[in-house]
């Protein structure tokens, strides 16, 4: 098991998951990338519930990359619930979405996202965005230490 804290990618589109994995590898990011496919599963993962109850003693991820358009529970509601809980209040969350809607941007910040990144269209631009995200959020940024999930 790696001693590095993971990155949680909340994304329901398998093509975007694959693209993100390849972009992170190409950008040299070595942190484990865990993936969940909907908002309910994201909350179960982060609060160590249900199928993710085994994660109760595992540190929270160092970064959450959250899509907005998710099945079962959208990204806005996931973010709202994360910020309402003391365990995840300061967990860095980057909205990584294809939405260019101003309302999504404003709502994301009003619910406490740390950054809002529109997914680049080209692979080259996506790799560069992944590299910059990794450099900033995993190397330069300092966040309060997070505890374990439960």
């Amino acid at each position: 098991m790696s001693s590095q804290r993971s990155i949680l990618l909340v994304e329901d589109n398998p093509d975007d998951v694959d693209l993100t994995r390849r972009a992170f590898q190409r950008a040299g990011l070595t942190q484990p990338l865990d993936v969940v496919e909907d908002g309910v599963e994201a909350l179960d993962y982060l609060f160590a519930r249900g199928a993710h109850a085994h994660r109760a003693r595992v540190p929270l991820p160092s970064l959450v990359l959250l899509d907005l358009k998710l099945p079962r529970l959208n990204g806005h509601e996931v973010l709202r619930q994360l910020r309402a809980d003391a365990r995840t209040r300061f967990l860095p969350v980057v909205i990584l979405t294809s939405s260019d809607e101003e309302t999504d941007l404003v709502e994301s910040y009003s619910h406490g996202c740390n950054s809002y990144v529109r997914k680049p269209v080209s692979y080259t631009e996506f790799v560069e965005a992944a590299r910059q995200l990794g450099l900033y959020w995993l190397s330069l940024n300092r966040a309060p230490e997070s505890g374990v999930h439960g």
Side-chain angles (χ1 to χ4, degrees):
M1 176 186 252
S2 171
S3 61
Q4 294 179 313
R5 290 173 49 197
S6 64
I7 299 168
L8 177 62
L9 174 63
V10 186
E11 174 61 65
D12 65 318
N13 183 324
D15 292 335
D16 285 352
V17 170
D18 184 53
L19 180 63
T20 303
R21 282 191 192 283
R22 287 187 291 131
F24 274 36
Q25 288 172 348
R26 182 126 186 208
L29 299 175
T30 59
Q31 286 77 9
L33 183 67
D34 294 336
V35 178
V36 296
E37 298 178 356
D38 64 58
V40 172
E41 188 179 7
L43 293 175
D44 284 350
Y45 176 100
L46 291 166
F47 294 123
R49 303 183 303 215
H52 296 280
H54 65 282
R55 298 187 54 79
R57 299 205 182 276
V58 177
L60 289 168
S62 55
L63 177 66
V64 176
L65 300 174
L66 178 63
D67 192 13
L68 291 178
K69 311 295 186 217
L70 297 168
R72 299 205 298 165
L73 193 67
N74 70 39
H76 292 297
E77 183 58 26
V78 171
L79 183 59
R80 192 188 66 72
Q81 291 190 35
L82 291 179
R83 293 308 184 234
D85 191 292
R87 295 169 293 177
T88 54
R89 181 169 298 136
F90 300 121
L91 181 64
V93 176
V94 173
I95 302 298
L96 186 60
T97 181
S98 56
S99 174
D100 204 18
E101 298 292 325
E102 182 72 12
T103 54
D104 282 336
L105 179 70
V106 170
E107 190 173 351
S108 295
Y109 275 105
S110 71
H111 288 144
C113 80
N114 297 99
S115 184
Y116 189 99
V117 176
R118 188 166 188 279
K119 293 176 189 172
V121 175
S122 82
Y123 177 69
T124 302
E125 290 173 344
F126 198 96
V127 170
E128 179 58 19
R131 188 189 68 74
Q132 291 181 20
L133 282 170
L135 177 64
Y136 180 77
W137 289 104
L138 303 172
S139 297
L140 298 174
N141 183 59
R142 293 193 64 213
E145 283 296 317
S146 298
V148 293
H149 299 75

